[in-house]
Amino acid sequence: MTTARLPLFPLNAVLFPGLVLPLNVFEERYRAMMRELLKSDEDEPRRFVVVAIRDGRETAVTGTGMPDPVASAPPAERAPAEGFGPDPIQTFHRVGCIADAATIRERPDGSFEVLATGTTRVRLLSVDASGPYLSAEVEEVAEEPPAEDEADEAGALAEGVLRAFRAYQKRLAGATERSLATGSELPDDPSVVSYLVAAATVLDVPTKQRLLQAPDTATRLREELTLLRRETAVIRHLPSLPAPDLTRAPTHPN
C-alpha cells in the first residue's frame, strides 16, 4: 500500500473525513508547520495528519485536559515531541485523519488561524521528531467495500441512525435550550451520515476513536445506533445536561 510522510498535528480530539476543523495555532512547533505548508503552491493541497492523543493530554498549555505545564520551557519553545514521552507514537492513537488546510492565515503576533477539512483515514507507521515539528509516515485506511446485500443494509442502518439522531438532537436541544440542526439538513449517503453523526454526538475521545477506526460504514452505523439510543435515554432521565458547552464545536487552542 502507498505510504506518505506528512506533518503530524496531535490533538485531544478526533477528526473525521468530511468534517471541518478550525485551529488556533500559537506554539512555535506548529507555527513552523504552518509556515512550511504555506510554501506550497496555492493550487496544491496543504495536508497534515490529525491524530488523537491516547492519554488525553493536549499540545498547548491552555488546552482542555492538559497535564501540568512543562516547567523547563515556555510553550513557544517546546521541542517537537515534548510532552509526548520518549516514544511519541505510543502516545497517539494509530488511526488518524488527513486534514486539508483550505485557509492558513497568519496574525500579526505570528500565530495562525487555520481552517481545515478531514479527508482520508490513515494509519501511523512511524513518527519522526528530528525536525522542527513532528512528522509521520502513514498509509491510507480504506473503507472495506460492502457486498451487494450489505450496501442495502448500510442504507437501512443510515435511515435508522438519522431517526435516532433526530431524537437525540431534540432531547439535547431541550436539555441545553439550544436550537440544533433539523433533519432536512442531514445527508442521506450512508458513509457521510456515519462520519457526521460520529462527529456531532457528544462522546468521549476513545468512543469517537473507535468509530473512526470501524472497518466499514455498516459497522460504524450499527454502533452509532446503539450509542444514540443509549445517550438519548440518559438525557431523558436527567433533569439537566451537565457541561452544555460540550455540544458546541470550539476552536482547538493549539
Side-chain angles (χ1 to χ4, degrees):
M1 183 175 291
T2 304
T3 64
R5 182 166 293 279
L6 294 171
L8 184 64
F9 206 125
L11 283 176
N12 190 18
V14 177
L15 177 63
F16 293 91
L19 274 296
V20 175
L21 175 69
L23 290 169
N24 174 26
V25 179
F26 63 84
E27 284 194 49
E28 177 53 35
R29 50 184 168 180
Y30 302 116
R31 292 188 192 190
M33 179 189 300
M34 296 306 150
R35 289 194 293 266
E36 186 65 28
L37 290 174
L38 283 173
K39 293 179 182 178
S40 61
D41 294 336
E42 290 186 4
D43 57 349
E44 293 182 0
R46 292 165 173 168
R47 303 188 305 162
F48 57 96
V49 176
V50 172
V51 65
I53 305 168
R54 282 187 182 276
D55 59 4
R57 290 181 294 181
E58 183 58 280
T59 55
V61 175
T62 57
T64 304
M66 279 297 297
D68 293 334
V70 178
S72 59
E77 300 177 9
R78 300 177 80 183
E82 190 169 341
F84 301 129
D87 186 8
I89 196 171
Q90 302 302 326
T91 306
F92 308 139
H93 286 282
R94 296 300 176 91
V95 174
C97 185
I98 291 178
D100 185 354
T103 302
I104 303 177
R105 183 176 296 110
E106 187 171 6
R107 301 189 183 100
D109 65 358
S111 64
F112 288 87
E113 179 182 345
V114 180
L115 191 64
T117 302
T119 61
T120 307
R121 297 188 304 168
V122 290
R123 178 176 290 104
L124 297 187
L125 301 178
S126 64
V127 172
D128 182 5
S130 62
Y133 50 83
L134 293 176
S135 62
E137 184 178 10
V138 298
E139 64 178 7
E140 180 178 350
V141 179
E143 291 265 336
E144 294 182 5
E148 186 174 347
D149 57 337
E150 291 175 339
D152 294 337
E153 180 191 11
L157 282 168
E159 291 178 3
V161 166
L162 285 176
R163 286 193 297 270
F165 185 63
R166 292 186 189 104
Y168 169 80
Q169 282 188 309
K170 290 178 182 178
R171 289 289 179 182
L172 196 61
T176 63
E177 298 181 354
R178 297 184 65 239
S179 175
L180 301 178
T182 63
S184 61
E185 297 171 326
L186 298 173
D188 54 9
D189 178 89
S191 179
V192 175
V193 168
S194 74
Y195 286 129
L196 175 61
V197 169
T201 306
V202 182
L203 300 167
D204 59 23
V205 168
T207 302
K208 284 181 178 280
Q209 182 68 33
R210 191 167 66 247
L211 292 174
L212 178 68
Q213 295 179 190
D216 54 66
T217 298
T219 300
R220 187 176 302 108
L221 289 167
R222 276 193 292 268
E223 181 160 0
E224 287 170 352
L225 191 57
T226 299
L227 289 168
L228 286 167
R229 288 171 174 169
R230 184 193 70 191
E231 294 300 309
T232 302
V234 169
I235 296 171
R236 183 185 302 121
H237 290 92
L238 289 177
S240 62
L241 185 67
D245 287 345
L246 291 176
T247 63
R248 301 187 178 95
T251 298
H252 291 285
N254 292 288

